[in-house]
Amino acid sequence: MREPTEAGPDAAAGRGRAALVEGGVEFDDRDAALLRAVDATGSVAGAASDLGRSRSRALSRIETLEGAYGTLVERRRGGEGGGGSRLAASGRSLLDRYDRLQAVLAATAAVPETVLDGTVTAVDGELAVVDTAVGELSGLHGGDGDGADGGAESGWSGGIATGDAVQVRIGADAVTVNDAATAVDPDATSARNRLDGRVSRIDPGETVSTVRIAVGAAEGSDDAPDPDTEVVALITAESVDRLDLAPDDPVSIRWKATATRLVALAE
Amino acid sequence: MREPTEAGPDAAAGRGRAALVEGGVEFDDRDAALLRAVDATGSVAGAASDLGRSRSRALSRIETLEGAYGTLVERRRGGEGGGGSRLAASGRSLLDRYDRLQAVLAATAAVPETVLDGTVTAVDGELAVVDTAVGELSGLHGGDGDGADGGAESGWSGGIATGDAVQVRIGADAVTVNDAATAVDPDATSARNRLDGRVSRIDPGETVSTVRIAVGAAEGSDDAPDPDTEVVALITAESVDRLDLAPDDPVSIRWKATATRLVALAE
DNA sequence: CTTCGTTGTATCAGCATAGAGACAACGATA
DNA sequence: TATCGTTGTCTCTATGCTGATACAACGAAG
């Protein structure tokens, strides 16, 4: 399938790679391709031949995977056509799970993000409050107990304590833009982080637009705007039209604390 | 090396592993640990010694990484202490970027998700409308041109066409819960997907609660509820209190189309 | 000038993973 | 019963990565 894209130098520029891990065994894109080929050809031998890989390794790889993920391929030897292999239901759902992970990763790579530096002022369980240039924001940090880090000894610490310097990451797909005039009762929604600002720029896309909202730290002074802090929001072009958004329009943005990730700064 | 952590059966159960990719070179957790050790010890030799890795490999690995990511470590030979190495600013920002990716991946693994099956009814650029059991939902699919897949020959197709069977993935951290009574003007917000339902269950957490909202397909019949389709929302415990949520309460939920991912079903 | 510990560079051996190939076992079908 | 192509299992070989080791180059400090 899929033409030789792997050679392209910037084919995966700035992107990432993700794999499922279970029982110490990684489920790779190679493994996904193998399962798909088994599903397509109806046999492990045919799959290996299609992919240009050796049959013995393909089979032993499947056995390794099944040792960690359970039955993936129903193999039958002898019989019609000499036997064959079918993708088991659990194998299919594993593929779906892998695809979802891949989609999420592609999304986080494709969707802009806002990163603010701040200092932790309070920690309450998984939730923490961070003081930033635009005020106090609340978000989640990864320290759910201990097993939060997948890496072995990467040294990455999801744990966060009061006073720590952290990055506040807000995905542009999590930010909701509201008309400033139509104030929403803050008690009626579960979106807790709320800021007022002005549209500073709109990058129109085919169907999705990127809206940058300048959120000045100072609230009273109009002649001393802080152009430094901008929050990015990803909005459908239809919503841009419906809200009639244009540069310099006052807007109110909000996003959920549970959609905000806190990351400890290196050093 | 690599102490026997891989034996832990559920150490990384259900989790994933992510790495940055640029120019065909992966930035691993091993690489992150290496850069951190360089930063800590002030020399590549010391870092390799700390990690129990060979110095020559560590150095050549850094050179490989720098070939793809640019200068990461400022090395100096001779002089005070015989020389040494410092983590460059770009190396530090790369580490931060890696940590953000890691945090996002950990988040998607830790945060519940709602997965609905559906059929694509319309495609408009990156946006698509899907017909599901709970009505029409709109979301993004990964087919931004062609270079969307990081994997080489995984066969994963982000492309979507009308009539395709897809999974609709909604992260629980993207769903906003509103009081049903306080209706929000649908024209005043950029959140396009909107459903009415009833709270079916609340799993209280320390500071974050998981709320399940039953979204029946039939709207008029009360005695024939569809217990099958539930949407999960991740809400801070404070918001649960503020909205006074309890099982069987009518609520209105909404989430952005740009926070909804469409994934082609395997087969 | 000497000392020092580091950065550069090269070579060698060990190990894990890959493919290549061979052969027996299997069981429905003709 | 013979045929067929697959699964299951084995051995051999090649390749790439890793660690181990050695040695020259470097430049500030003493």
Side-chain angles (χ1 to χ4, degrees), chain A residues 15 17-19 21 26 33 36 99-100 113 124 154 156 175 177-178 190 192 207 234 238 242 256, chain B residues 15 17 19 21 26 36 99-100 113 124 149 153-154 156 175 177 186 189-190 192 207 234 238 256:
Chain A
R15 294 226 161 69
R17 196 185 83 90
V21 175
E26 273 192 31
R36 270 186 253 271
D99 284 344
R100 284 202 300 275
E113 62 185 9
D124 183 13
S154 73
W156 179 65
V175 179
V177 178
N178 293 322
S190 65
R192 210 159 72 151
T207 51
L234 200 64
E238 186 204 317
R242 191 153 33 86
K256 296 180 56 177
Chain B
R15 293 228 162 69
R17 197 184 81 89
V21 176
E26 275 192 30
R36 270 186 251 272
D99 284 344
R100 285 201 300 274
E113 63 183 8
D124 183 14
D149 67 333
E153 68 270 307
S154 73
W156 177 67
V175 179
V177 177
T189 178
S190 65
R192 209 159 75 150
T207 52
L234 200 63
E238 185 205 318
K256 295 180 57 178

Side-chain angles (χ1 to χ4, degrees), chain A residues 25-47:
Chain A
V25 179
E26 273 192 31
F27 186 84
D28 218 343
D29 54 344
R30 270 174 74 91
D31 300 320
L34 180 58
L35 288 197
R36 270 186 253 271
V38 168
D39 191 34
T41 64
S43 76
V44 177

Side-chain angles (χ1 to χ4, degrees), chain B:
Chain B
M1 283 334 78
R2 194 167 279 275
E3 43 336 287
T5 49
E6 75 271 9
D10 54 353
R15 293 228 162 69
R17 197 184 81 89
L20 297 172
V21 176
E22 194 128 356
V25 179
E26 275 192 30
F27 187 83
D28 217 345
D29 54 343
R30 272 174 72 93
D31 300 319
L34 180 57
L35 289 198
R36 270 186 251 272
V38 168
D39 191 34
T41 64
S43 75
V44 177
S49 165
D50 265 23
L51 297 176
R53 299 169 58 179
S54 77
R55 185 182 68 88
S56 54
R57 279 299 140 188
L59 199 54
S60 73
R61 180 60 185 167
I62 288 179
E63 283 172 351
T64 301
L65 290 174
E66 290 189 325
Y69 295 88
T71 303
L72 298 177
V73 173
E74 287 166 1
R75 291 164 289 174
R76 194 186 66 242
R77 85 171 152 180
E80 180 179 5
S85 298
R86 282 191 325 121
L87 194 57
S90 52
R92 203 173 297 275
S93 66
L94 181 65
L95 270 181
D96 286 336
R97 193 175 130 209
Y98 176 80
D99 284 344
R100 285 201 300 274
L101 174 70
Q102 224 58 28
V104 169
L105 184 80
T108 64
V111 167
E113 63 183 8
T114 303
V115 180
L116 303 173
D117 289 334
T119 310
V120 177
T121 60
V123 179
D124 183 14
E126 309 173 69
L127 220 57
V129 180
V130 180
D131 186 47
T132 72
V134 298
E136 289 205 324
L137 306 176
S138 58
L140 287 180
H141 64 277
D144 54 325
D146 56 336
D149 67 333
E153 68 270 307
S154 73
W156 177 67
S157 59
I160 275 182
T162 304
D164 282 2
V166 293
Q167 292 183 320
V168 182
R169 183 201 181 271
I170 310 154
D173 55 359
V175 179
T176 303
V177 177
N178 294 322
D179 200 345
T182 319
V184 180
D185 181 10
D187 285 343
T189 178
S190 65
R192 209 159 75 150
N193 287 311
R194 182 181 174 282
L195 288 175
D196 292 318
R198 285 178 184 275
V199 175
S200 63
R201 192 150 65 91
I202 299 179
D203 294 327
E206 201 183 345
T207 52
V208 176
S209 298
T210 304
V211 181
R212 294 174 183 278
I213 296 109
V215 189
E219 40 190 358
S221 62
D222 229 20
D223 24 27
D226 229 10
D228 300 333
T229 47
E230 278 186 341
V231 177
V232 187
L234 200 63
I235 305 289
T236 63
E238 185 205 318
S239 289
V240 173
D241 285 347
R242 191 153 33 85
L243 295 173
D244 198 23
L245 291 184
D248 228 37
D249 279 359
V251 292
S252 160
I253 61 176
R254 45 182 88 231
W255 68 94
K256 295 180 57 178
T258 51
T260 310
R261 305 301 300 185
L262 306 181
V263 184
L265 267 172
E267 201 69 346

Side-chain angles (χ1 to χ4, degrees), chain A residues 171-189:
Chain A
D173 55 358
V175 179
T176 303
V177 178
N178 293 322
D179 200 345
T182 319
V184 180
D185 181 9
D187 284 344
T189 179

